């Protein structure tokens, strides 16, 4: 049975690939972008099955209106994919105030506004699936990625709480955590802070990590079968890595965390009183 899918940030990258994949198999898609001209070819190809919507994800009123418009147009709302967002790179001391506020508005609050718009509709129909785009940098962080990671850590916590809140309503929540892929994520779509030379060496270490070696960059088109399987799953997971590099990195990170917690557990217990 065809699904109705609402996806943000669909003019390029994963959002664009996935929107077209859903359309090709017969789903209805409402896709958002700040500039819908980049979505015109999908409208020309798929006609009434495709609804392009201009949306500034940082504007809560626009988010509410866009989700309502999609629901009114198609009559249902089965899957919402919060894909819109971008990267901000810079050491914690380097990042500028406005750049931090802008990325929090887009990556965290934009996700929240779309969720709040979709949830009443999904509760009323007794079903739905909210898919949040996080990152492997949403479960661990590295030099130069602190503020970006902060937004994705926040999306992770927000989504996990939501999972517990809505599972009784027939609504699923999944956080998708890609490793690095060959998209424009680190290119023109990213924001780079002014630099302080003292941090150059520390930031360079990010690209020495195995997950950031070019041989471990994923192919974006390979994510299409995975996202189709995820939206069709009767019992989807709360979290899903995408790519081969994320899970080994997570294993390494969590092993170190557990070891550190265990080492300091006697101190923790004495602090209990």
């Amino acid at each position: 049975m065809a699904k109705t899918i609402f996806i943000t940030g669909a003019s390029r990258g994963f959002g664009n690939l996935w929107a077209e994949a859903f359309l090709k198999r017969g789903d209805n898609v409402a896709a958002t972008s700040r500039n819908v001209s980049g979505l015109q070819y999908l409208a020309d190809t798929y006609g009434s099955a495709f609804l392009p919507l201009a949306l500034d994800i940082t504007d809560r009123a626009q988010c509410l209106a866009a989700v309502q418009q999609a629901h009114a147009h198609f009559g249902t709302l089965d899957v919402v994919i919060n894909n819109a967002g971008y990267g901000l790179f810079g050491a914690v001391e380097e990042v500028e105030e406005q750049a931090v506020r802008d990325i929090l508005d887009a990556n965290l609050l934009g996700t929240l506004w779309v969720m709040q718009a979709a949830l009443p509709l999904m509760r009323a129909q007794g079903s739905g699936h909210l898919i949040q785009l996080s990152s492997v940098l949403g479960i661990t962080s590295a030099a130069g990625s602190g503020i970006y990671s902060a937004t994705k850590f926040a999306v992770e916590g927000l989504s996990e709480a939501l999972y517990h809140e809505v599972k009784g309503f027939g609504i699923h929540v999944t956080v998708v955590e890609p490793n690095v892929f060959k998209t424009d994520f680190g290119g023109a779509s990213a924001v780079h802070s002014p630099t302080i030379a003292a941090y150059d060496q520390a930031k360079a270490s990010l690209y020495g990590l195995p997950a950031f070696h070019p041989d471990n960059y994923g192919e974006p088109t390979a994510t299409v079968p995975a996202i189709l399987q995820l939206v069709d799953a009767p019992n989807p997971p709360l979290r899903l890595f995408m790519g081969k590099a994320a899970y080994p990195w997570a294993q390494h990170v969590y092993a170190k965390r557990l070891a550190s917690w265990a080492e300091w557990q006697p101190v923790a217990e004495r602090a209990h009183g």
Side-chain angles (χ1 to χ4, degrees), residues 146-239:
I147 300 302
Y148 173 74
S149 285
T151 67
K152 294 305 185 182
F153 269 67
V155 167
E156 295 264 347
L158 182 68
S159 300
E160 186 167 337
L162 181 66
Y163 166 84
H164 294 293
E165 292 166 357
V166 301
K167 59 185 178 181
F169 304 138
I171 301 171
H172 300 287
V173 179
T174 299
V175 184
V176 174
E177 302 156 331
N179 53 224
V180 185
F181 277 78
K182 297 173 185 176
T183 65
D184 188 44
F185 171 74
S189 64
V191 174
H192 296 266
S193 294
T195 60
I196 298 172
Y199 292 105
D200 288 350
Q201 185 174 352
K203 288 187 296 182
S205 69
L206 173 68
Y207 299 99
L209 295 169
F212 288 85
H213 191 281
D215 289 346
N216 285 327
Y217 286 15
E219 295 291 342
T221 54
T223 66
V224 168
I227 198 68
L228 295 179
Q229 184 174 347
L230 178 63
V231 302
D232 289 342
N235 187 27
L238 172 58
R239 288 182 170 86

Side-chain angles (χ1 to χ4, degrees), residues 59-102:
D59 187 317
R60 185 175 186 271
Q62 285 190 30
C63 291
L64 295 173
V67 172
Q68 288 286 348
Q69 186 177 345
H71 183 265
H73 184 81
F74 292 118
T76 186
L77 189 66
D78 300 305
V79 180
V80 170
I81 303 178
N82 272 305
N83 170 70
Y86 63 93
L88 170 61
F89 299 99
V92 170
E93 187 181 343
E94 293 172 337
V95 292
E96 297 177 308
E97 179 182 358
Q98 193 58 53
V100 174
R101 294 185 183 279
D102 288 345

Side-chain angles (χ1 to χ4, degrees), residues 2-6 76-80 122 125 127-130:
K3 290 181 168 63
T4 295
I5 297 165
F6 182 97
T76 186
L77 189 66
D78 300 305
V79 180
V80 170
M122 290 182 169
Q125 66 191 20
S127 64
H129 190 180
L130 288 158

Side-chain angles (χ1 to χ4, degrees), residues 238-262:
L238 172 58
R239 288 182 170 86
L240 173 67
F241 285 132
M242 279 193 179
K244 68 179 183 180
Y247 182 59
W249 193 9
Q251 286 182 302
H252 174 71
V253 166
Y254 275 86
K256 290 179 67 176
R257 287 181 187 177
L258 289 167
S260 179
W261 282 323

